[in-house]
Amino acid sequence: MGEVEFEGPPERWTALLPTFADMAFALGGGQTLGIQNHDRYANEAFDALPGVKHNQDDIVDLVSSDVDKELFYDMNADAHFIDPNILKLWYGWDESDIEEITNNLGPFFGSFIRRHSDNWHDYRYYSLYEAFELMAEVFQAQDRYQAFVELHEQMLETIEERLPPADQRPTALLVYPAGRSGTSFHPFRIDDGGVSTKQWRDLGLSGALAETDIGHYSYSDDGTLGPEALLEIDPEALLVRNYGGASESKFREEVVEPLEDHSVTNNIRAVQNDAVYNAGYLDQGPIINFHHTELAAKDIYPNAFEDATLFDRERVAQIVSGDL
């Protein structure tokens, strides 16, 4: 970005990806004007906060060809928490478009930190809390940020206390559905280091791809794993994305049953042992991360985390509301 200046905390702002929308909301900045896709935004994590107002119907969908400059003028944001490279890469913007919106509306501030596998990304990656700290400077909300840091440290301490020994943790394969077959997936490496896989690393999962040469899904590499490849990898747990917020019955109908019914994939250990789990959303800020981590811990290690609270909804609500 270079040097970015703000006259004060932005009152009207938009994100594109949920990571930065979540951060700004957590810092007391209210909700984003726009989001890439409502289906990829964990609204239920915000709705679970007692006494905190969040209305997804007020958020504009920033999808595909609709992400043009006119829409940005309609939103009239003071700040845009979006990596401009994403607008160029995904939506056909050029540098003059970025400069126009910056000069006429407000600055861009943000970085694509979902994953580390895109070859176009040759600048620094930030961890979730490194980026969150910078956002706290923008909103002049370092006290809220520090409260989240303390709550996050408590969560990690609870995980460390309860996590089973390494030899009792399953090897896990993280995937995203490819097409509608129900048995073909894009692979994601848990050891990729991006924000989107933080919960799995924190929960000590061993990635089933770690000893293979199979790469992490990226914008330039949309390779897929079919039934035979899945069986060869043979994970003990299969984590399937793109079903965040879906009911258990929908997940079973669209994900689990096709794997059980296929003559090849029904031999995978994860399928045979009923260890196919809803892996939630692609992007996460601090609040969604609490939500994701708690769900994942209870799914994968039910005996260790059944009665654990990793997502302290009441405390998060207090921080968001400024009750520190």
Side-chain angles (χ1 to χ4, degrees):
M1 295 297 170
E3 186 172 307
V4 179
E5 295 184 359
F6 295 87
E7 295 180 0
E11 296 181 4
R12 292 177 55 83
W13 56 271
T14 189
L16 179 69
L17 302 181
T19 295
F20 289 95
D22 183 346
M23 291 179 185
F25 187 82
L27 294 167
Q31 67 183 46
T32 182
L33 296 171
I35 204 70
Q36 185 188 36
N37 190 320
H38 280 85
D39 292 339
R40 294 186 179 184
Y41 193 30
N43 291 287
E44 62 269 27
F46 306 107
D47 293 339
L49 304 178
V52 174
K53 181 181 178 182
H54 183 267
N55 186 358
Q56 61 178 302
D57 294 335
D58 293 338
I59 302 175
V60 176
D61 252 339
L62 303 176
V63 179
S64 190
S65 60
D66 292 334
V67 183
D68 56 28
K69 288 186 295 183
E70 292 306 314
L71 183 55
F72 276 67
Y73 280 107
D74 289 342
M75 289 191 294
N76 192 29
D78 304 321
H80 308 92
F81 300 120
I82 304 169
D83 188 333
N85 291 293
I86 293 298
L87 293 175
K88 298 175 186 177
L89 190 66
W90 293 353
Y91 302 112
W93 287 39
D94 58 33
E95 190 60 36
S96 65
D97 297 321
I98 301 296
E99 293 176 0
E100 177 184 339
I101 295 301
T102 298
N103 294 332
N104 292 341
L105 295 175
F108 286 85
F109 187 80
S111 181
F112 184 68
I113 55 177
R114 174 191 291 170
R115 57 181 179 244
H116 292 185
S117 56
D118 290 283
N119 57 17
W120 56 266
H121 196 301
D122 59 358
Y123 43 96
R124 175 181 173 179
Y125 285 103
Y126 292 84
S127 71
L128 190 152
Y129 275 80
E130 286 174 340
F132 191 25
E133 184 175 19
L134 293 172
M135 289 286 284
E137 291 185 35
V138 174
F139 282 93
Q140 298 177 21
Q142 287 87 348
D143 51 351
R144 282 185 171 91
Y145 165 76
Q146 191 56 47
F148 268 99
V149 168
E150 293 171 3
L151 199 57
H152 177 249
E153 290 174 349
Q154 292 172 19
M155 180 188 76
L156 295 180
E157 289 173 3
T158 300
I159 290 173
E160 185 176 359
E161 291 169 357
R162 292 174 175 250
L163 201 62
D167 61 359
Q168 297 178 26
R169 305 172 198 166
T171 58
L173 177 61
L174 178 64
V175 296
Y176 187 98
R180 297 182 176 275
S181 70
T183 56
S184 182
F185 299 90
H186 298 300
F188 288 77
R189 296 184 68 101
I190 290 173
D191 58 2
D192 165 70
V195 166
S196 78
T197 53
K198 179 183 184 306
Q199 69 271 36
W200 312 113
R201 297 193 303 273
D202 288 344
L203 289 169
L205 283 182
S206 174
L209 298 180
E211 302 301 322
T212 75
D213 59 0
I214 297 173
H216 187 96
Y217 175 82
S218 70
Y219 183 80
S220 58
D221 180 7
D222 63 350
T224 60
L225 301 174
E228 288 75 17
L230 291 170
L231 180 58
E232 183 176 353
I233 296 167
D234 196 20
E236 294 174 299
L238 184 62
L239 316 173
V240 183
R241 286 177 153 166
N242 199 39
Y243 284 88
S247 66
E248 185 176 342
S249 60
K250 180 178 180 180
F251 184 74
R252 170 157 284 279
E253 178 184 348
E254 296 189 11
V255 178
V256 179
E257 291 178 0
L259 291 168
E260 291 177 335
D261 294 341
H262 193 280
S263 61
V264 175
T265 56
N266 65 9
N267 293 299
I268 297 170
R269 285 180 293 175
V271 177
Q272 292 184 338
N273 296 329
D274 197 24
V276 180
Y277 303 116
N278 187 335
Y281 302 87
L282 285 168
D283 297 287
Q284 57 185 336
I287 298 174
I288 300 173
N289 177 244
F290 284 131
H291 170 72
H292 270 160
T293 307
E294 183 173 88
L295 290 176
K298 292 179 184 294
D299 274 345
I300 297 169
Y301 309 113
N303 294 333
F305 289 95
E306 182 179 11
D307 62 344
T309 299
L310 301 181
F311 181 13
D312 188 337
R313 293 155 180 79
E314 290 191 6
R315 181 57 183 143
V316 169
Q318 290 174 345
I319 299 170
V320 171
S321 302
D323 184 7
L324 305 178

